[in-house]
Amino acid sequence: MSAHFDLSIDEMKAYGYKIVDLIAEHWANLEDKKPVTSATRKEMDSIFLQEAPDKGMPPNEVLEFVMENVIPYSNVTSHPKFYSFVPGPSNYISTMADSLATGFNIFSGGWIVSPAAAELEIVTMNWLLKMFNFPVKAGGGIFTSGGSMANLTALVTARRIKCGDDFSKAVIYLSDQAHSSNIKAIRVLGFKKEQIRILPTDIEFRISINKLKNAIAKDRLEGLQPFCFIASAGTTNTGTVDPLDDIADICEAENMWFHIDGAYGGAAILSDKGARALRGIERADSLTVDPHKWFYQPYEIGCLLVKDSSWLSNTFSEKPEYLRDIEGNESEINFYDYGVQLTRRFRALKFYMSIKTYGLEAFKEAVTYNIQLADDVEDMLRKSRNWEIISPATLAVINFRYNPIGLNLSEEEIDSLNQEISRRVMESKEALLVTTILNKQVVLRMCLINPKTTIDHIRDTFLLCNKFAEEILAAKSK
Ligand SMILES: *Cc1c(COP(=O)(O)O)cnc(C)c1O
């Protein structure tokens, strides 16, 4: 390789075709792979740890090494049996769109540099605004790296608009089921512990409106400034949607910012059932959604929507001299004015190309299918003597545990049994199924947002779980 990083055109093509072949084969043969892999730091070090090499080597050799040693040591989050955390089903068109965006190295910061990139972000943002019944004209938004960054961007904006420079008396509220990224964001923002109220949820994991009202009233009496509530739609644990309309009423009455974290559940708006569950979502001041989850996009793409786009520009716009020449007119948006990043990759392209190619109808069908699949799993488990539903199917999430009728196991025994089932499933590498804790119980959780997952995949996995459970119980009774 020359010092100028150049390959000949034929070398570039051959190298690129090889990579496309590998990716396409991966997509076509997903089912033949195991979703789970694991490795220790020691094992990884033994393969990779070395000083940066002074001399290079042929590109194909590096690629082969990567295909042999890097790719296999990643869980396959788009596998139909990857049930836990939040799967990353992705889609092929967007995968290629990302290659285009990177291949042409398109700068998605300012209008003048890439007017089409800015325009596509405006257009796709309009699609999203409309989807969530936000005002398309006044509203706006920005693509971010993910939901965490969207939540952070929202909370910076909320604080700026509601508190200005002095936030010493500001108080922010969220439930104990809110996603950890919100607490991280609050910490990044420099709030003290005394300024954060984490409120308990009811037996269905919703924020208790009574407790929220009490907390706000007490804080007012102390001379503090309740300025923001973070609702979940839905929670990552159980898919639960907070009572959005009630919260919106409170925020209006109290002059508080209403942020909704819909990173997990927002996309459910595309189905009728999901839209009913999300009623009131249009009343938020700001809304996080996460296209790299249930809008089937590859990592990374998150999104923040706001009711009034000037809130973002009033919060993030800074004008250094060297950017003077690229200031356009008002309608030509520089997305570096809407968030933290100046240099930004072209995230809108994959969202745009996948919706143009498949049509919104395909996305609606997929989301509807996912929600129905979780309902079907619930039905199946309710009819089983071995399994107990702990949190019913909600926005494609379901929590359950192995607790056979007639065995009269203690809570401790049930916890350790389910923990052990999960451990053995993971060890088999056949499915990714881990536990979470609900009401102090160890439960298994499925998040069924992959349209490739069928009820047969799930039946397979339950057969495996039943087999392990029987083995564990048999070993114990010896
Ligand atoms: C996943 C998730 C986040 C964080 O999003 P990232 O894209 O992982 O940064 C935030 N909130 C909720 C509810 C989530 O499910």
Side-chain angles (χ1 to χ4, degrees):
M1 252 223 288
S2 80
H4 303 287
F5 306 120
D6 289 337
L7 302 180
S8 75
I9 182 143
D10 289 336
E11 285 169 326
M12 284 194 282
K13 286 186 177 177
Y15 189 70
Y17 295 152
K18 197 170 274 177
I19 290 178
V20 170
D21 285 349
L22 289 165
I23 296 172
E25 276 157 23
H26 169 72
W27 275 85
N29 302 324
L30 258 188
E31 301 248 354
D32 305 339
K33 313 212 165 176
K34 300 255 192 269
V36 181
T37 185
S38 68
T40 62
R41 175 66 192 261
K42 208 163 154 217
E43 288 163 340
M44 291 287 92
D45 274 355
S46 75
I47 300 175
F48 298 111
L49 199 61
Q50 66 167 149
E51 298 296 323
D54 281 326
K55 292 257 184 297
M57 59 198 276
N60 282 330
E61 279 177 39
V62 178
L63 179 59
E64 257 165 52
F65 176 79
V66 164
M67 288 312 295
E68 220 160 275
N69 298 295
V70 179
I71 303 296
Y73 287 109
S74 303
N75 283 286
V76 183
T77 65
S78 44
H79 193 284
K81 289 183 178 173
F82 189 99
Y83 301 115
S84 291
F85 314 116
V86 177
S90 187
N91 76 82
Y92 189 74
I93 294 292
S94 291
T95 304
M96 292 297 110
D98 255 356
S99 312
L100 268 182
T102 302
F104 287 82
N105 203 24
I106 292 168
F107 176 93
S108 210
W111 182 274
I112 299 269
V113 183
S114 320
E119 179 69 12
L120 285 200
E121 191 151 353
I122 293 170
V123 166
T124 48
M125 213 50 76
N126 286 348
W127 294 352
L128 284 158
L129 289 166
K130 182 152 177 259
M131 223 177 266
F132 288 99
N133 259 320
F134 270 45
V136 172
K137 234 179 135 88
I142 184 168
F143 286 124
T144 60
S145 54
S148 303
M149 203 59 193
N151 284 332
L152 176 67
T153 308
L155 299 182
V156 175
T157 308
R159 184 174 70 180
R160 177 92 189 159
I161 301 303
K162 289 294 182 195
C163 310
D165 287 331
D166 180 9
F167 55 94
S168 56
K169 294 209 174 339
V171 183
I172 187 161
Y173 305 79
L174 66 169
S175 91
D176 60 15
Q177 292 294 308
H179 191 269
S180 56
S181 61
N182 292 293
I183 291 289
K184 256 200 217 177
I186 291 168
R187 199 175 302 146
V188 170
L189 282 164
F191 285 108
K192 300 197 182 83
K193 229 169 78 201
E194 307 85 75
Q195 295 178 283
I196 312 165
R197 304 281 175 272
I198 299 175
L199 301 170
T201 43
D202 64 20
I203 49 165
E204 293 186 318
F205 311 104
R206 288 185 184 82
I207 181 84
S208 153
I209 289 293
N210 180 48
K211 295 203 166 105
L212 173 61
K213 282 184 173 170
N214 277 345
I216 293 171
K218 293 284 177 291
D219 286 331
R220 289 246 186 257
L221 288 172
E222 295 291 323
L224 301 173
Q225 183 198 0
F227 88 101
C228 179
F229 181 77
I230 305 169
S232 306
T235 64
T236 319
N237 252 348
T238 58
T240 301
V241 181
D242 282 327
L244 303 179
D245 265 320
D246 293 343
I247 297 165
D249 290 342
I250 295 173
C251 287
E252 266 171 34
E254 299 282 349
N255 186 25
M256 285 166 65
W257 185 279
F258 182 20
H259 176 62
I260 298 180
D261 179 359
Y264 170 66
I269 198 91
L270 290 175
S271 79
D272 293 338
K273 191 169 180 189
R276 281 196 297 278
L278 294 172
R279 219 175 3 228
I281 201 166
E282 72 286 351
R283 295 181 66 189
D285 294 305
S286 56
L287 168 66
T288 288
V289 292
D290 216 358
H292 64 204
K293 288 178 176 168
W294 210 352
F295 282 102
Y296 313 111
Q297 302 299 314
Y299 310 129
E300 302 169 343
I301 180 171
C303 174
L304 176 68
L305 299 175
V306 292
K307 275 272 162 61
D308 182 340
S309 61
S310 73
W311 293 337
L312 292 177
S313 48
N314 287 339
T315 302
F316 290 102
S317 145
E318 282 294 329
K319 304 280 174 225
E321 302 75 13
Y322 60 83
L323 291 179
R324 235 165 24 109
D325 289 343
I326 71 172
E327 287 302 320
N329 69 44
E330 285 272 299
S331 70
E332 294 169 355
I333 296 174
N334 297 310
F335 277 92
Y336 59 66
D337 279 337
Y338 275 27
V340 175
Q341 282 185 282
L342 170 58
T343 302
R344 306 171 65 241
R345 54 180 292 116
F346 185 11
R347 296 191 175 93
L349 185 65
K350 56 185 160 185
F351 197 75
Y352 179 80
M353 285 178 72
S354 56
I355 291 185
K356 278 281 265 197
T357 304
Y358 301 118
L360 207 48
E361 209 49 60
F363 286 78
K364 289 180 178 172
E365 272 168 33
V367 171
T368 304
Y369 169 80
N370 292 144
I371 291 178
Q372 183 60 48
L373 183 64
D375 287 346
D376 294 346
V377 173
E378 182 181 332
D379 282 349
M380 184 175 95
L381 293 185
R382 290 225 192 266
K383 288 185 193 128
S384 141
R385 303 179 61 81
N386 294 334
W387 294 92
E388 172 185 33
I389 305 283
I390 301 299
S391 173
T394 310
L395 304 190
V397 181
I398 179 166
N399 290 272
F400 47 85
R401 63 180 189 170
Y402 191 85
N403 181 19
I405 304 175
L407 279 194
N408 296 320
L409 300 171
S410 71
E411 283 296 321
E412 268 170 14
E413 287 170 319
I414 302 169
D415 282 355
S416 73
L417 178 57
N418 282 277
Q419 194 68 59
E420 182 62 15
I421 291 170
S422 164
R423 199 189 65 72
R424 291 195 189 196
V425 170
M426 296 290 283
E427 200 176 57
S428 78
K429 306 201 184 321
E430 292 295 333
L432 194 119
L433 181 65
V434 304
T435 63
T436 187
I437 303 281
L438 293 179
N439 294 329
K440 303 197 176 111
Q441 297 174 327
V442 175
V443 303
L444 297 164
R445 172 177 166 283
M446 276 187 175
C447 177
L448 297 170
I449 64 167
N450 189 337
K452 289 192 165 73
T453 305
T454 64
I455 195 78
D456 287 336
H457 290 119
I458 294 169
R459 281 210 187 91
D460 264 8
T461 301
F462 276 104
L463 283 178
L464 195 66
C465 290
N466 284 329
K467 182 179 90 119
F468 288 143
E470 279 156 26
E471 286 171 13
I472 297 161
L473 288 169
K476 236 180 60 177
S477 66
K478 265 185 204 149

